[in-house]
């Protein structure tokens, strides 16, 4: 899958965007490390070529080089703390099934598994209201 950072955000790579320093908490470091692993794994997957941008640490997928376009799908890294105090990285994949849906009503899937996150992203790209009809790799 080819991900191209939109021009307005091209001064940092996606890996740099999801990097942390020593002042970050353990949970954020774990979530961002998992996101960097997901980004690397996405590049090795056979999938569509899309533009991406980040907004509030969300990875947003769009059809062209403009963050104002409708978001096809997005992936948000975060973490959950278990009862034992261990942090687990999670990914939330969200997308609009119909164009009129407001963000709070988007379909949302959550996983801690990178392979499953990739499949969720690919499926959400196909099921999104804003999937491009002229991109053969996005056939519904």
């Amino acid at each position: 899958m080819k991900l191209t950072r939109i021009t307005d955000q091209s001064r940092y790579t996606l890996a740099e965007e999801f990097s942390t320093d020593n002042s970050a908490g353990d949970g954020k470091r774990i979530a961002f490390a998992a996101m960097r692993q997901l980004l690397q794994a996405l590049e090795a997957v056979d999938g569509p070529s899309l533009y991406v941008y980040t907004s509030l640490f969300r990875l947003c997928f769009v059809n062209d080089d403009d963050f104002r376009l409708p978001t096809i799908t997005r992936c948000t890294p975060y973490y959950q703390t278990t009862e034992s105090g261990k942090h687990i990285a999670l990914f939330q994949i969200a997308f609009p099934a119909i164009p009129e849906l407001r963000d709070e009503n988007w379909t949302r899937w959550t996983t801690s598994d990178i392979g499953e996150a990739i499949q969720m992203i690919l499926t959400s790209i196909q099921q999104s209201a804003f999937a491009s009809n002229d991109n053969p790799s996005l056939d519904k």
Side-chain angles (χ1 to χ4, degrees):
M1 176 175 218
K2 181 172 177 357
L3 302 179
T4 303
R5 188 100 192 247
I6 64 168
T7 304
D8 289 345
Q9 291 187 334
S10 61
R11 63 185 179 151
Y12 295 113
T13 66
L14 290 170
E16 290 169 337
E17 188 74 33
F18 290 101
S19 64
T20 58
D21 59 25
N22 291 335
S23 67
D26 290 341
K28 183 176 181 179
R29 284 196 305 270
I30 288 169
F32 278 25
M35 188 63 166
R36 289 189 307 272
Q37 291 174 339
L38 176 64
L39 287 167
Q40 188 174 21
L42 279 171
E43 290 180 11
V45 170
D46 184 29
S49 294
L50 293 170
Y51 285 85
V52 294
Y53 69 93
T54 57
S55 175
L56 300 173
F57 302 113
R58 296 172 171 174
L59 182 65
C60 303
F61 297 76
V62 291
N63 281 321
D64 208 344
D65 193 13
D66 190 342
F67 68 89
R68 294 169 295 194
L69 290 168
T71 299
I72 299 169
T73 191
R74 73 167 179 250
C75 178
T76 307
Y78 66 103
Y79 68 92
Q80 181 175 19
T81 306
T82 64
E83 290 181 14
S84 66
K86 180 181 176 185
H87 299 300
I88 300 171
L90 295 169
F91 305 100
Q92 181 189 77
I93 289 69
F95 67 96
I98 58 174
E100 297 80 20
L101 287 181
R102 295 175 53 94
D103 181 74
E104 63 268 10
N105 296 319
W106 284 14
T107 301
R108 298 180 194 291
W109 298 324
T110 303
T111 186
S112 61
D113 182 78
I114 289 177
E116 189 174 34
I118 289 169
Q119 289 308 309
M120 289 175 171
I121 289 168
L122 292 172
T123 300
S124 69
I125 288 169
Q126 292 174 340
Q127 294 181 8
S128 174
F130 299 110
S132 173
N133 293 332
D134 56 341
N135 188 337
S137 58
L138 293 178
D139 287 341
K140 291 188 174 188

